[in-house]
Amino acid sequence: MNGKTALLVIDMQNDFCEGGALAVDGATSILSVVNSLIAGHDHVILTQDWHPAGHSSFASEHQGKSPFETVAMPYGEQTLWPDHCLQGSQGAEFHPSLKWTKAEMIVRKGFRPEIDSYSAFRENDRQTPTGLAGYLRERQIANLVLCGLAFDYCVAWSALDARRFGFSARVVEQATAAIDLDGSKGRMRQAMEEAGVTFA
Ligand code: VGL
Ligand code: ZN
């Protein structure tokens, strides 16, 4: 393979783990395999979901709406979530068992009040870049291995965008856990396969 390889660890934060505001089933149980992946990679990049209070993806901001319902945003349909990963909160911190200290880069996303951001590359309007693509290219990193949370949201959107921006992408499925809303797990797995994402 041409270029270097980096591990992209998506959103291993307290709010997505058991007991958190948007807990994903099985999240805590992937920590040991995520930590092994971190130990085994020369380059590690983390993402951190990082919302201001009153973020537009929070159901609490939309009268009459509950978490996991959808709403029409100017950029398209958006799923609504419980308030989670508030900037500076304990819920937004990396899980205490995550061995994250060797990470070379932390990409924060979801900080614009009016746009949600699942992908590590682009916000949900599919236009606003996070800067990650340029960072990877400048560092001659061409290959990504992905793990973390959630398989069918931030991991999948990041892997799809990785392909779109010309990077190879491999998702280590046993180092992920899914929200699985209305079949999103199967749907996103198929979309990733069709986009040339590989699985291990
Ligand atoms: C995520 C929903 C809302 C994720 C982040 O990390 O998959 N999902 N914010
Ligand atoms: Zn979020």
Side-chain angles (χ1 to χ4, degrees), residues 11 16 22 49 51 81 84 118 149-150 153-154 179:
D11 297 1
F16 296 120
L22 179 39
D49 211 40
H51 299 305
W81 306 106
H84 65 279
Y118 297 150
L149 304 168
Y153 286 91
C154 292
I179 296 174

Side-chain angles (χ1 to χ4, degrees), residues 104-174:
E104 297 173 349
M105 170 73 162
I106 299 173
V107 181
R108 286 182 172 155
K109 59 187 182 60
F111 50 77
R112 286 187 181 76
E114 69 284 4
I115 320 178
D116 202 6
S117 188
Y118 297 150
S119 164
F121 291 90
R122 284 188 302 182
E123 304 198 12
N124 287 12
D125 63 357
R126 322 308 290 140
Q127 280 168 20
T128 308
T130 62
L132 179 61
Y135 171 85
L136 295 172
R137 285 182 193 128
E138 277 202 53
R139 295 201 53 205
Q140 280 92 48
I141 294 168
N143 311 297
L144 292 177
V145 176
L146 294 96
C147 64
L149 304 168
F151 174 83
D152 42 349
Y153 286 91
C154 292
V155 175
W157 286 51
S158 298
L160 289 171
D161 268 351
R163 297 295 301 132
R164 230 170 251 127
F165 285 100
F167 300 94
S168 84
R170 186 160 62 83
V171 172
V172 184
E173 227 171 338
Q174 58 162 346

